[in-house]
Amino acid sequence: MGNMDLISERDPKSPIAEAYRTLRTNIQFSSFDKKIQTIMVTSSGPGEGKSTTSSNLAVVMAQTGGKTIIIDCDQRKPRLHKLFNLSNEVGLSDLLAGNTGFSAAVHETKIKNLDVLPAGTRPPNPSELLSSNKMSGFVEDLRGEYDCIILDTPPIVAVTDAQLIARYVDGCILVISSGEVEREAAIKAKALLDKVQARIIGAVLNKVEVSEKGYYGYYYHYYYGNDGQKVKKKKTSSSEKSVSA
């Protein structure tokens, strides 16, 4: 697997891969009362890096030995099958519609302990599909099979899909691209998550310029709970380049 976006698999010793491992650690320690098993990753707008973030998070989760699955819930612009070089002929939508079985829709990857469920056939009503009892029940059933379930969702400001999914996951991560999104959009994205009482376990500020040469890196801020207290940050070296989404 040589996809440049999957740096956690391609170059696990890189500073960016280390930043993803920091993200993993922060998630694991974000709650002592309830295990964070289902995680939704979204962004305020397109092109901010949510699919790259969710994919690398899935890789580092699997690398700990925990059985992990990442699900492409972006029925309008699916991308996970491209990142993992998989077929998108059948996937989540076909499974929920009863047109295929789980074993036929899910893909094992070359990465040990990591499965991928692509989006599948684009349905005429993505929001209804993702808000259905069948979808929430499916995710609940996966808890018995996987240690970590990651859901890559559409940008939350663009469509309601992420809001719908946020209601039945343990935690949400909001990816924000520095310099490419207005502050108001990020504020609106958080407000939309708050509206459905989503548990925001972290925000990833992506593509931050960290040197005079114009290189970019990842700069992670994590805010656990609702009090806004900053508990961890990770800044990459100035020589890192961004992993575009």
Side-chain angles (χ1 to χ4, degrees), residues 8-33:
S8 295
E9 186 273 338
R10 178 176 55 82
D11 189 7
K13 294 183 179 181
S14 68
I16 299 179
E18 176 60 29
Y20 283 118
R21 289 191 289 272
T22 299
L23 169 58
R24 175 190 66 199
T25 301
N26 287 341
I27 291 171
Q28 291 171 337
F29 282 92
S30 64
S31 175
F32 294 102
D33 297 324

Side-chain angles (χ1 to χ4, degrees), residues 165-187:
I165 293 173
R167 297 181 301 180
Y168 54 80
V169 296
D170 298 330
C172 305
I173 293 175
L174 180 61
V175 180
I176 304 169
S177 181
S178 174
E180 296 181 15
V181 61
E182 295 181 359
R183 182 172 180 269
E184 291 75 13
I187 293 172

Side-chain angles (χ1 to χ4, degrees), residues 40-43 130 153-157 159-167 169 172 193 196 198:
M40 184 192 86
V41 181
T42 189
S43 60
L130 297 173
T153 69
I156 193 165
V157 175
V159 291
T160 62
D161 300 6
Q163 277 185 287
L164 298 170
I165 293 173
R167 297 181 301 180
V169 296
C172 305
L193 288 170
V196 293

Side-chain angles (χ1 to χ4, degrees), residues 1-173:
M1 186 181 298
N3 194 303
M4 294 295 290
D5 288 332
L6 292 177
I7 193 168
S8 295
E9 186 273 338
R10 178 176 55 82
D11 189 7
K13 294 183 179 181
S14 68
I16 299 179
E18 176 60 29
Y20 283 118
R21 289 191 289 272
T22 299
L23 169 58
R24 175 190 66 199
T25 301
N26 287 341
I27 291 171
Q28 291 171 337
F29 282 92
S30 64
S31 175
F32 294 102
D33 297 324
K34 181 180 180 181
K35 181 182 178 182
I36 304 296
Q37 190 174 3
T38 55
I39 304 165
M40 184 192 86
V41 181
T42 189
S43 60
S44 57
E48 295 189 64
K50 68 173 181 63
S51 293
T52 298
T53 298
S54 62
S55 297
N56 280 281
L57 175 59
V59 169
V60 297
M61 285 292 192
Q63 287 172 344
T64 65
K67 193 174 181 183
T68 304
I69 185 171
I70 182 169
I71 305 172
D72 198 335
C73 297
D74 194 337
Q75 295 290 325
R76 295 170 176 84
K77 291 185 178 181
R79 189 160 181 264
L80 291 188
H81 65 286
K82 296 178 181 179
L83 286 173
F84 288 94
N85 299 315
L86 302 171
S87 169
N88 192 40
E89 187 175 352
V90 294
L92 175 64
S93 60
D94 306 278
L95 179 62
L96 295 178
N99 297 329
T100 190
F102 180 72
S103 60
V106 72
H107 296 264
E108 291 185 356
T109 68
K110 296 178 181 179
I111 301 167
K112 187 178 180 181
N113 301 315
L114 180 59
D115 291 344
V116 177
L117 180 60
T121 305
R122 178 175 176 173
N125 53 347
S127 296
E128 291 181 22
L129 181 79
L130 297 173
S131 65
S132 66
N133 291 332
K134 196 167 186 179
M135 174 64 183
S136 59
F138 169 66
V139 173
E140 189 64 30
D141 289 343
L142 289 178
R143 290 178 182 270
E145 300 294 327
Y146 292 91
D147 299 298
C148 181
I149 303 151
I150 298 174
L151 297 95
D152 182 42
T153 69
I156 193 165
V157 175
V159 291
T160 62
D161 300 6
Q163 277 185 287
L164 298 170
I165 293 173
R167 297 181 301 180
Y168 54 80
V169 296
D170 298 330
C172 305
I173 293 175

